Amino acid sequence: WLDTALVDGKVAHGAALVRGNVLDWPFRHGEGRFEAIAELADATLKFHHDWPEGHGISGTARFVNVAMEVDLKGRIGGAQINTVTGGIPNFGDAILELAVQGEGTGPALLGVLRESSLRRDFGSFMQNLTLTGRGTTQLDLHIPLEHHLGEPRVEGYVDIERMDLHDPTWGLGFR
């Protein structure tokens, strides 16, 4: 996953620590400690093939033994991603868990959803939907990086309190 996720960008600062016999690495049973930290700047991330790339990503990626934690911000499409926290608790069973908070215009947020894995199940419902105004979103992503670990899950909401929603297919119009 790491080989393909970081598409472009810079590591503005990095550091690593290894304690223990390197022949025992990746220290799955506490035989030692591996820790690396990378401060990312202006990165492009493709965290999953079913979701659009993130651009202008900055923040910290921290690796401890067989785990990774991230604290990032940036953009996906025209939507601003204020915080992304989470990571992969164990690369042995690689499941990416992320909590994402973002904001943007209605068209920008809808564009991200239309380019995501949600299009498979909800694409026909989003096809003629329009949103105007601005909104916020909170998503919790559970993304197994290997097929045998299960299906991806997305939970969350989009706050459209300050938006107008229209769909001529269903005759809907909310202001």
Side-chain angles (χ1 to χ4, degrees):
W1 178 80
L2 286 173
D3 292 338
T4 59
L6 185 58
V7 176
D8 194 13
K10 300 176 223 145
V11 175
H13 173 76
L17 163 85
V18 178
R19 186 179 66 232
N21 186 337
V22 294
L23 297 176
D24 293 332
W25 187 79
F27 308 127
R28 284 187 171 87
H29 306 290
E31 313 91 319
R33 184 168 181 88
F34 168 79
E35 187 169 344
I37 190 165
E39 295 291 335
L40 300 176
D42 198 26
T44 298
L45 294 177
K46 183 70 173 172
F47 64 93
H48 193 269
H49 67 274
D50 278 342
W51 283 79
E53 288 182 344
H55 296 274
I57 305 294
S58 63
T60 304
R62 183 171 175 245
F63 302 85
V64 177
N65 292 344
V66 296
M68 176 188 74
E69 301 169 355
V70 296
D71 186 358
L72 305 170
K73 62 182 178 178
R75 294 181 325 279
I76 294 181
Q80 179 65 36
I81 305 303
N82 298 327
T83 62
V84 176
T85 56
I88 299 173
N90 182 342
F91 278 109
D93 289 318
I95 298 174
L96 181 62
E97 301 275 359
L98 296 174
V100 181
Q101 293 180 335
E103 62 182 295
T105 66
L109 294 172
L110 191 55
V112 171
L113 295 176
R114 284 178 173 151
E115 293 180 40
S116 76
S117 62
L118 297 175
R119 74 181 168 278
R120 281 193 306 268
D121 294 331
F122 304 106
S124 63
F125 297 107
M126 293 188 285
Q127 184 174 354
N128 295 315
L129 185 66
T130 61
L131 293 173
T132 58
R134 293 191 62 80
T136 59
T137 185
Q138 166 68 45
L139 297 175
D140 293 319
L141 307 174
H142 172 92
I143 303 173
L145 301 177
E146 299 172 24
H147 291 293
H148 74 276
L149 295 174
E151 292 294 317
R153 287 192 318 265
V154 178
E155 296 177 4
Y157 66 88
V158 177
D159 179 353
I160 59 173
E161 182 176 321
R162 295 169 303 281
M163 289 191 190
D164 293 340
L165 179 145
H166 299 278
D167 189 330
T169 305
W170 302 97
L172 295 177
F174 297 101
R175 294 188 169 270

